[in-house]
Amino acid sequence: MVLQNTKSITSSISERSPVWRRRGISGYPFRAPVRRIAFLVGATVLLSGCLGSGTASTTPLPPPKPGDITELRTTVSVADVPLRAELEGNVALFLSLETAEQALKDRTVAGYAPAQLTRMQRQADAEVNAALAPFGFYESSAEAELEIDGAAARATVNVEPGPRVRLRSVRATLLGDGVNEASLRALVSASPLQKGTPLLHASYDAFKQALTDRAFDLGYLDARFKTADLAVFPDDRAADIELAFETGKQYRFGPVLVEQEILTPDFVDRLVEVETDEVFDVKRLIDQQLALNDTDYFSNVTVEADKEKAIDQAVPVVIHTEPQASQSYTTGLGFGTDTGPRATFGVEWRRLNKRGHQFSADLRTSAIRNTLAAEYRIPFKEVARDRWKVFARLDQAEIGDSDSDQFSVGVVRDDSWGPLRRQIYFKYNGERFSIGNEPTRDSRLLIPGLALSYQRADDPLFTRRGLSFSVDVHGALGDLASDTAFISTLASLRHVRPLSPRSRLLLRGELGYLEVDDFAALPPGERFFTGGDRTVRGYGFQTLSPENADGDDIGGVRLTAVSAEVDYLLIGAVGIAAFVDHGAASARFGDDLSTGVGLGLRYRSPVGMIRVDFAHPLDEDRSVRLHLTLGSDL
């Protein structure tokens, strides 16, 4: 995204005669407080390490000269005052003696002559003054001692900060068209720059930046400080601040032009959420760029808003796009302890016409399931997210101790419903199935249904804090193109939260309820099974269910599955986990629940978390079962 000349801050200062003054946003006579300095120093050290590592082996240091100091230890001690730790940190960053110590440790120098360290010792007082001034201490003093013992030296710097300067007067004035903006006035009212408070340059900078950023977010692109004056009077231990912030006029979005040729103009207009005459907001442009990038229509999107071309504060917006390839193909190989070896092949037409229609087909095959599916998608309403879907699907599967061949066709309305995703669907299932040695049966079901889902995550791939839940309710009427009547509800919940910077708690729960007129006529795909990699570990895939007289798993009408897991990253992307799973498919809630416990290994791969779990079933005399999974935690 290109934003030209959208933020400009200058200063215009009247003449005064304090002992020390700071003007505008430039002319800083000393370095910033410790937090900002630490970042800059850290970046510099990292860069120098990267650049220097290649030269260290080819350009060795010359040996130290006779009499040079090759080992230095520096200690900084600041008297007990507010912000003592911050003061000591900033002093250490300014001291030449500290810099020399680090250089010797890093072996960027071979040694220092005693005279060099003596000069650094004499500079300590001035360096301490510069380091403490940003915190309001302008009368500090430092006593530096240097002890040399052969090739080793010890430096001690004792700092007395002295009295602290306090704010004597603070005047902050809003000018321009934004003078009545509530959020700007609230910022001024809540400013930490209050009469009588200690002077802290970081607070002064932060307040000015917050005011400027907020004005910019409100569309005042010409906002600037007409006056930005910080005058310090050390003899009076006082400082005066005078700020006059001119917002200028408020800018709005002008005409929005999307440069593309692959879709009809009215369809593209529905993809664009930025509207002409809205208050200009950079975040809105960024969100628009991301939203267009997330569609399957464009491979690259850039947004240009040129303030210099504004007419009556209306900024024209031009969105440049590059079309995505109209077709894509996917292939994949994998392995899971539930599914065995598996393979996938898919093809997608991202745009069949200029109205954004799409079509996809994929084939999935594994040891327990083979699926061929096709789907036609028609955008509607919020066309970037909402779809009508017409689908057809062939399934050949082993579920528990049953075999099933199924054909499904249907239609789905997939859209937003407040913060939720909503799917309203109708599908027709024709299925031939058998369970154990029971006779083969044919089933036909006309199924309407409703599914709601929600997901929020700080990182979709490696979630540290997130929540997802879904509920699906569907059924059939026995006298309406169906062999039996039933109603089924399945709800699931997943929650991830951090326990420490390197550990997480993962909770999972599933609850299912099924009422059916003729259970024997209900195909296995509509019954409840559990057990395996993603449910109750320690047990085989879908083996936790009621059994018939022959011991075959036939599925249940109630489902309960809960899990708690704690994982911890040990080194880099490698971690460990401990878990307990509990649940079963059954005839009644609470019957025949099984428990599995275990330990696991974790690896944060570029395509998701790889999990290797070793689980032991507590209620069966079985050995440990291995589970392998890959994917997100939500």
Side-chain angles (χ1 to χ4, degrees), residues 32 49 60 65 85 105 218 312 342 426 474 509 535 567:
K65 298 177 182 178
K105 288 180 180 179
L218 291 170
D312 295 329
R342 57 178 181 259
F426 288 87
H474 64 272
T535 55
D567 66 13

Side-chain angles (χ1 to χ4, degrees), residues 346-418:
V347 59
E348 180 177 20
W349 282 264
R350 296 188 175 106
R351 55 181 190 279
L352 290 172
N353 52 42
K354 289 198 170 187
R355 296 183 300 279
H357 293 198
Q358 299 172 323
F359 176 81
S360 63
D362 61 82
L363 171 66
R364 299 173 182 269
T365 179
S366 69
I368 63 170
R369 183 184 292 272
N370 298 304
T371 302
L372 177 63
E375 184 176 80
Y376 191 95
R377 297 184 292 276
I378 305 171
F380 77 105
K381 203 168 64 174
E382 297 183 18
V383 295
R385 293 175 289 274
D386 302 335
R387 298 284 189 273
W388 282 101
K389 302 176 182 178
V390 180
F391 67 88
R393 181 183 178 107
L394 288 172
D395 263 309
Q396 183 185 56
E398 295 179 9
I399 303 174
D401 290 314
S402 65
D403 294 318
S404 169
D405 294 316
Q406 182 186 101
F407 170 70
S408 301
V409 292
V411 61
V412 182
R413 175 190 169 106
D414 185 351
D415 64 354
S416 299
W417 192 43

Side-chain angles (χ1 to χ4, degrees), residues 61-84:
L61 289 173
K65 298 177 182 178
D68 275 1
I69 307 299
T70 58
E71 182 180 338
L72 174 63
R73 183 179 178 184
T74 304
T75 303
V76 176
S77 177
V78 177
D80 191 9
V81 294
L83 302 177
R84 177 180 179 181

Side-chain angles (χ1 to χ4, degrees), residues 70 75 184 192 265 268 276 313 333 414 424 478 523 532-533 549 561 584 633:
T70 58
T75 303
L184 292 179
V268 173
T276 300
Q313 280 68 53
L333 296 173
D414 185 351
I424 302 172
D533 296 342
D633 298 302

Side-chain angles (χ1 to χ4, degrees), residues 464-482:
R464 282 189 51 78
R465 186 180 298 276
L467 173 70
S468 71
F469 69 82
S470 65
V471 59
D472 182 286
V473 181
H474 64 272
L477 296 176
D479 55 356
L480 184 61
S482 299

